[in-house]
Amino acid sequence: MLPDGSEVWLNAASSITYPTVFSGNERVVRITGEAYFEIAQNAAMPFKVIANAPIGEQDIEVLGTHFNVKAYPDESAITTTLLEGRVKLHSGTVSTLLSPGQQGTQQADGNIRMDPHADAEAAIAWKNGLFHFEQTDIREVMRQLARWYNVDVVFEGRITDEKFDGEITRNSNLTEVLKILQLSNVHFRVDNNKVTVTP
């Protein structure tokens, strides 16, 4: 809960920085990783999220209430998905206005690509306690597992091109999740905090 009554959910390996009291003419927070926001309305003091990632920084001007921001250091883009209200994304001189159900993805070159029909429920599956995979490659699957279970992942040999679909509860332990993935002919070795993916 932020000082203005706005609510924020943080995903694994994520952080938020904000003042103890919002003052001045805007409310500004900074995030790394992934966060879902439900913003308290205050027209006199607009809300702004600054998402930091190795590819750069994205400013999100909040004109509505419910949205998800994904800006992990190990991802190649910053992705904002809008569920309710409106947000305006800024990257350098480029800006894009999102409406509900849309997603803006900022690439390393600073351009923002818009998906007018994003799967908003998939974007916030983590907030609802799920891993959601939809045509997801093994590298992305393992990045999500590495963050959630705080493990290091190493790939050995030829990596499968297979795509994964489905949902797994985040209440499952790592061994249970890996057993489910092994049904797709991917194999794993676990040694303490290290998971090795093998063909």
Side-chain angles (χ1 to χ4, degrees):
M1 179 81 69
L2 298 178
D4 66 344
S6 296
E7 295 182 84
V8 182
W9 287 257
L10 293 176
N11 200 347
S14 301
S15 64
I16 185 169
T17 306
Y18 59 92
T20 54
V21 175
F22 289 116
S23 59
N25 57 359
E26 65 182 0
R27 300 170 284 169
V28 178
V29 300
R30 293 182 166 274
I31 70 144
T32 58
E34 188 167 15
Y36 175 78
F37 292 85
E38 292 185 359
I39 303 304
Q41 294 293 335
N42 181 346
M45 192 181 279
F47 196 92
K48 183 169 149 184
V49 177
I50 300 172
N52 295 302
I55 67 155
E57 191 173 271
Q58 182 180 88
D59 293 351
I60 303 157
E61 182 181 344
V62 180
L63 309 168
T65 56
H66 301 186
F67 61 99
N68 190 76
V69 181
K70 183 177 179 183
Y72 282 109
D74 61 350
E75 298 287 342
S76 62
I78 298 172
T79 304
T80 303
T81 308
L82 183 64
L83 283 76
E84 288 182 23
R86 296 188 91 143
V87 295
K88 191 171 193 177
L89 310 179
H90 300 277
S91 172
T93 60
V94 177
S95 65
T96 302
L97 186 66
L98 297 183
S99 295
Q102 295 181 332
Q103 185 176 74
T105 303
Q106 176 183 326
Q107 302 295 330
D109 63 6
N111 287 325
I112 299 172
R113 182 181 47 81
M114 192 183 73
D115 177 355
H117 306 291
D119 186 348
E121 290 304 312
I124 63 164
W126 68 269
K127 179 187 164 284
N128 298 324
L130 297 170
F131 291 108
H132 177 88
F133 306 123
E134 191 170 318
Q135 289 296 293
T136 307
D137 67 45
I138 190 66
R139 290 186 183 281
E140 168 63 18
V141 169
M142 296 311 295
R143 278 195 303 271
Q144 289 185 40
L145 298 182
R147 288 190 288 258
W148 183 249
Y149 295 107
N150 195 27
V151 295
D152 294 320
V153 174
V154 176
F155 292 89
E156 189 176 274
R158 185 184 169 281
I159 305 306
T160 181
D161 294 331
E162 187 166 344
K163 304 292 185 189
F164 294 83
D165 291 285
E167 290 183 337
I168 303 171
T169 178
R170 286 179 170 231
N171 291 331
S172 302
N173 67 41
L174 178 61
T175 302
E176 293 170 333
V177 174
L178 295 179
K179 282 182 183 177
I180 292 168
L181 294 174
Q182 284 181 349
L183 297 174
S184 296
N185 292 321
V186 179
H187 300 93
F188 306 95
R189 275 194 325 269
V190 179
D191 182 28
N192 294 321
N193 242 21
K194 180 179 170 184
V195 177
T196 303
V197 182
T198 61

